Amino acid sequence: MDKQKVALEGIVALLILLFLYASVSKILDFDRFIGEMNNQPFPNSWTPFLVWAIPSLEIAIALALMIERTRMAGLIASLVLMTLFTLYTGSVLLHFFAYVPCSCGGVIRKLSWPQHMVFNLFFVALSIIGIILQRKKFFISTFIKEKTFT
Amino acid sequence: MKKIKWTFMTLAIVLGIGGAFATAPRLPQDCQAATQYYYNGTYVLAGKLGVNYICVTPSSSVCTYYKVGSTYTPCMTGVYCTSNCKASNPSPKKAKN
């Protein structure tokens, strides 16, 4: 059980690291981020919303993961966001779009698209494992509480 | 258990924020304040980043230059790409080179 708890903490820490790094990098190189968003295959009118929404969402997920009460919500949000990024990466790899620059933060933008796919799938898998472990932890603690009170 | 939790979390926060600052492009931010040029046989005014062009990454080639005295010095890396580059640009597979 302790091993699972440590694994859960490790997974949560990795996700926090990813989301904080990605969001802060985008904010630090904001001009480039705006430029890259403008060149995505969706309308440029979405850019003013997306350039704030994406880093804000990433910071919100990192914060949710830090707080025990909101951790499950953070893990689910992380899974949803990483799945969306993975689908987007997949569509780029399948040539749905002629050319799309990476709108990632920091060194992540240096990855090629196939590397990006592997990177995203790794974090999707981590989020799924995190959700399973968090559920287990929740049920065990509920079970212990019930046993204590009955 | 709490010790492990706080150690992991502190490491994640410090590495996440610290790493972002450590890998933030310092040189481009300084040179971006200067007028940008791109090389197309000759040096041509690049325009405004995000409006007239973007530098598509990943690519190690020089996207824009800025002038230091009479010398054109590399500023941003990537492939110079104007706002209508999506249709005319090569596929992602080719762009890796």
Side-chain angles (χ1 to χ4, degrees):
Chain A
M1 185 55 214
D2 264 359
K3 271 185 188 172
Q4 286 189 359
K5 275 186 182 172
V6 174
L8 176 63
E9 295 306 329
I11 287 169
V12 167
L14 278 174
L15 290 169
I16 292 171
L17 173 66
L18 169 75
F19 287 119
L20 280 184
Y21 177 78
S23 55
V24 175
S25 297
K26 284 178 185 120
I27 294 164
L28 289 177
D29 201 3
F30 204 61
D31 279 346
R32 180 194 280 237
F33 180 47
I34 292 171
E36 288 176 350
M37 287 306 282
N38 276 336
N39 210 40
Q40 300 295 324
F42 31 76
N44 279 6
S45 56
W46 295 10
T47 302
F49 166 72
L50 287 173
V51 290
W52 288 108
I54 294 174
S56 306
L57 193 61
E58 287 171 339
I59 291 171
I61 292 173
L63 287 174
L65 289 168
M66 286 176 208
I67 303 160
E68 189 61 45
R69 269 188 170 190
T70 55
R71 185 172 273 186
M72 188 52 135
L75 284 165
I76 293 168
S78 157
L79 175 64
V80 172
L81 191 64
M82 288 313 295
T83 305
L84 286 174
F85 286 157
T86 307
L87 290 174
Y88 191 57
T89 311
S91 55
V92 171
L93 280 171
L94 292 171
H95 300 259
F96 278 10
F97 316 115
Y99 195 91
V100 183
C102 179
S103 231
C104 324
V107 290
I108 301 171
R109 67 157 55 88
K110 292 199 164 85
L111 298 177
S112 66
W113 284 104
Q115 286 169 339
H116 220 100
M117 190 69 173
V118 174
F119 182 87
N120 283 1
L121 284 171
F122 172 73
F123 280 97
V124 167
L126 277 191
S127 302
I128 294 169
I129 297 166
I131 290 169
I132 294 166
L133 292 178
Q134 182 69 19
R135 267 177 71 103
K136 261 189 183 177
K137 193 179 151 187
F138 174 77
F139 283 125
I140 288 168
S141 61
T142 312
F143 178 75
I144 292 168
K145 266 183 199 168
E146 278 175 7
K147 278 275 179 194
T148 319
F149 289 113
T150 51
Chain B
M1 192 60 214
K2 271 196 172 172
K3 226 178 186 180
I4 296 171
K5 181 182 174 174
W6 287 110
T7 309
F8 277 172
M9 214 164 286
T10 310
L11 267 175
I13 296 167
V14 170
L15 288 177
I17 298 173
F21 273 94
T23 57
R26 273 175 217 92
L27 176 67
Q29 276 184 349
D30 295 334
C31 66
Q32 267 177 35
T35 308
Q36 300 293 300
Y37 301 87
Y38 76 97
Y39 188 73
N40 187 18
T42 55
Y43 290 97
V44 185
L45 275 174
K48 190 169 163 49
L49 178 68
V51 179
N52 307 111
Y53 75 95
I54 63 153
C55 294
V56 179
T57 52
S59 171
S60 54
S61 59
V62 178
C63 177
T64 59
Y65 298 80
Y66 71 112
K67 237 176 165 179
V68 182
S70 58
T71 318
Y72 291 93
T73 311
C75 180
M76 292 178 68
T77 55
V79 177
Y80 181 83
C81 182
T82 54
S83 53
N84 60 347
C85 61
K86 273 179 273 180
S88 58
N89 255 337
S91 65
K93 210 175 177 182
K94 282 179 185 170
K96 275 193 291 180
N97 300 322

